[in-house]
Amino acid sequence: MRRTLALIGAVACLAAAPALAQNAATDTTETYDLLFKDGTLDEVPDESTLIYDRTVANRAKAEAAERDTGRIALSFEQREDTEIANLMFLQDGKHRNLGSFPASVGNPMIMYFYEAVVRDMAETAGGSPFYIRNRMKDALTVPGEVIDGIATWQGEDIETQTVTLRPFEGDPNRAQMSGFGDLALTVTMSEEVPGWYLSLSAEAPHPDGGDPIYRSEMRLDGIENTAAEAAQ
């Protein structure tokens, strides 16, 4: 059993609120603890790989959206006395390492999601990634609302909790953000899926409606038995 600590120093949120059942206001601490929950990898077998689909749409940089749409594999390895969670991006038969993290800090998908949105926004709208990152962190200081709901995963209905953050709401620099001022980060979580996070999404809606200016979603697709595949 892994001892998992709360993820420190980042923010993230998740996608597409499913069928809603109940709203519950939370204070800042509760919101943070829910998003960066302890023990999110504890029950995932070491020989397993979690697979997430990432889909990106970007009106201003279609080539960047194509570059970043693919799959993300989270796998484990033992390095001396430390268990490591590795993230790898998969696309068209190629792979790219995204980083390695101590498994003790929880599921690193939320950290990767957060940093990917910071990079995408800075690349598309310009501005300082440090400013963007700090505004996203500041959003955690505002009490949030947890929406309880039901979603479908692998053909089964599961209970979920969804948190949405709007990091640039009321920001004095919104007008210079090329539409990203209305960016919403949404995280949907469930005790019934491995790794805790069912989906993580970021969306900047178009002011005139229609397709959003930017949308990124990472959604858990399934879990693979690495040991079984290696034995074949």
Side-chain angles (χ1 to χ4, degrees), residues 65 147 184:
I147 300 177

Side-chain angles (χ1 to χ4, degrees), residues 11-13 31 35 136 139-140 142 144 163-167 183-186:
V11 63
C13 320
T31 302
L35 290 171
M136 291 185 181
L140 285 174
V142 179
V163 174
T164 298
L165 302 180
R166 293 176 173 81
L183 183 73
L185 303 170
T186 307

Side-chain angles (χ1 to χ4, degrees), residues 13-16 186-189 196-201 217-220:
C13 320
L14 189 190
T186 307
V187 181
T188 298
M189 303 148 281
W196 180 236
Y197 305 111
L198 176 62
S199 64
L200 307 98
S201 71
E217 180 176 19
M218 301 178 191
R219 186 175 183 88
L220 180 65

Side-chain angles (χ1 to χ4, degrees), residues 35-186:
L35 290 171
F36 300 98
K37 181 180 172 62
D38 284 356
T40 53
L41 294 177
D42 281 5
E43 303 303 324
V44 181
D46 294 344
E47 65 275 11
S48 297
T49 299
L50 300 180
I51 303 296
Y52 297 83
D53 287 328
R54 187 185 186 202
T55 304
V56 183
N58 189 327
R59 284 195 179 197
K61 285 190 172 292
E63 69 280 6
E66 183 177 353
R67 175 197 67 197
D68 296 330
T69 294
R71 309 192 91 195
I72 300 169
L74 187 161
S75 60
F76 303 97
E77 68 171 306
Q78 193 70 31
R79 296 183 187 174
E80 298 180 349
D81 296 330
T82 303
E83 188 168 34
I84 300 297
N86 295 314
L87 292 183
M88 184 175 295
F89 181 75
L90 311 173
Q91 184 189 66
D92 296 333
K94 301 177 182 179
H95 67 271
R96 181 175 77 246
N97 291 325
L98 300 175
S100 298
F101 310 82
S104 61
V105 300
N107 189 338
M109 279 299 297
I110 195 166
M111 301 291 285
Y112 172 68
F113 168 73
Y114 157 72
E115 288 296 337
V117 174
V118 171
R119 182 203 63 195
D120 291 352
M121 179 175 170
E123 184 179 51
T124 303
S128 166
F130 301 103
Y131 183 87
I132 297 167
R133 185 180 293 110
N134 286 334
R135 296 292 75 75
M136 291 185 181
K137 290 180 182 179
D138 288 346
L140 285 174
T141 68
V142 179
E145 183 179 56
V146 179
I147 300 177
D148 297 335
I150 301 294
T152 300
W153 187 70
Q154 294 192 334
E156 300 289 337
D157 288 342
I158 59 172
E159 296 181 356
T160 62
Q161 293 176 292
T162 296
V163 174
T164 298
L165 302 180
R166 293 176 173 81
F168 305 108
E169 192 171 50
D171 191 294
N173 298 305
R174 282 167 52 88
Q176 286 77 50
M177 292 182 180
S178 302
F180 278 79
D182 292 323
L183 183 73
L185 303 170
T186 307

